[in-house]
Amino acid sequence: MAQDTLSLYGVSMLSRLIVGTAQYPSPAILAAAIRAGQPEIVTVSLRRESGASRAGEDFWALIRELGVRVLPNTAGCRTVKEAVTTAEMAREVFDTRWIKLEVIGEEDTLQPDVFGLVEAAQILVRDGFQVFPYTTEDLVVAEKLLAAGCEVLMPWGAPIGTGRGLNNPYGLRALRAHFPDTPLIVDAGLGAPSHAAAAMELGVDAILLNTAIAKAGDPVVMARAFALAVEAGRLGFLADPMQPRDMASPSTPVIGRAFSGAQRA
């Protein structure tokens, strides 16, 4: 089987697991979890770590040592202006055109403000950014984000940090069907490796998660579990699984089955 790579803005990746770097018990556990899960991309919040200041030097040294690619995000931003300003600062600090764009519109669910998201994406793409938009599974919003110049979509699985899994599998299937050539990365709300496998079996291209690993009893083991689940789900999708049916179908054929004398009579 040929290498199954994922291309994001022209960068080829072997791993389909992307890991956040917040909330870990310690830098050592974060490093061990990244080594166990083997992601090639990690997300970093500019508000939490600064690559240019002394406060962020240890973290930045850790990221360099691990050899992973950084995807800065605009976590916590609630207006277009705030998100754009944060993205511009992140480009300077982390020396990358990549940005995970978040514009939060609702406090209880942290649901994206899709109107602000599209507006911010238009501004950032014009300014040379390669935008990874955190969005819902709405097809119309997806169309507008792609028209704005985004080449990746990051639909949520469930609200951030809830661990509920996939709230709308139908919506994710619809996204996959409507945009077969666009990388889809399920971001937020997954709590167990089975959730990641289920998402990958729907045909999404990658999984991004943070809390489910960082807050696990053993983040290192959980990172490895998610890595295996993502791989299993991807292979399951590629293998073209059987479709569910309403009636039973014997796995052992009747032809050739032995019959007793009484049955023949």
Side-chain angles (χ1 to χ4, degrees):
M1 179 178 173
Q3 280 191 327
D4 179 36
T5 59
L6 170 63
S7 180
L8 301 173
Y9 287 105
V11 178
S12 293
M13 302 286 171
L14 287 173
S15 173
R16 292 173 182 268
L17 175 65
I18 303 171
V19 174
T21 56
Q23 306 184 70
Y24 288 82
S26 70
I29 292 177
L30 166 61
I34 291 174
R35 291 189 180 100
Q38 297 184 322
E40 294 174 64
I41 303 170
V42 297
T43 61
V44 177
S45 171
L46 181 67
R47 294 175 173 228
R48 190 177 67 84
E49 300 291 350
S50 171
S53 71
R54 182 169 298 277
E57 284 180 0
D58 290 343
F59 174 81
W60 200 236
L62 174 62
I63 295 300
R64 287 197 298 267
E65 178 187 341
L66 292 168
V68 290
R69 190 180 186 98
V70 169
L71 173 60
N73 65 42
T74 62
C77 292
R78 285 166 169 75
T79 67
V80 172
K81 182 178 180 180
E82 188 180 14
V84 169
T85 300
T86 301
E88 290 170 345
M89 293 172 62
R91 179 166 59 182
E92 294 300 318
V93 169
F94 298 110
D95 190 26
T96 178
R97 295 167 61 201
W98 282 15
I99 191 72
K100 179 192 169 191
L101 180 60
E102 296 183 27
V103 183
I104 300 301
E106 204 281 324
E107 291 300 321
D108 291 332
T109 64
L110 300 179
Q111 179 169 326
D113 170 2
V114 294
F115 305 101
L117 180 68
V118 172
E119 182 181 350
Q122 291 170 337
I123 294 169
L124 291 173
V125 169
R126 286 198 301 266
D127 197 26
F129 282 88
Q130 296 174 325
V131 178
F132 294 68
Y134 170 60
T135 184
T136 66
E137 63 276 17
D138 188 290
L139 295 175
V140 177
V141 174
E143 285 276 16
K144 292 184 181 298
L145 288 168
L146 295 177
C150 299
E151 297 180 14
V152 178
L153 296 171
M154 303 184 76
W156 64 348
I160 295 170
T162 62
R164 295 181 58 86
L166 303 180
N167 274 358
N168 188 4
Y170 169 81
L172 293 175
R173 283 195 295 268
L175 274 177
R176 179 74 293 163
H178 280 76
F179 309 107
D181 300 320
T182 300
L184 300 180
I185 303 172
V186 168
D187 176 18
L190 305 188
S194 57
H195 299 159
M200 296 299 295
E201 287 173 2
L202 293 177
V204 306
D205 296 283
I207 300 294
L208 192 161
L209 69 159
N210 187 166
T211 309
I213 294 177
K215 292 297 187 180
D218 189 330
V220 178
V221 172
M222 187 61 78
R224 181 60 179 153
F226 268 104
L228 293 172
V230 168
E231 182 179 0
R234 177 64 179 174
L235 289 173
F237 170 73
L238 294 176
D240 190 14
M242 63 176 287
Q243 297 301 307
R245 48 184 292 148
D246 294 329
M247 302 298 290
S249 176
S251 57
T252 303
V254 174
I255 298 173
R257 190 176 65 183
F259 288 90
S260 69
Q263 288 173 317
R264 287 198 300 271

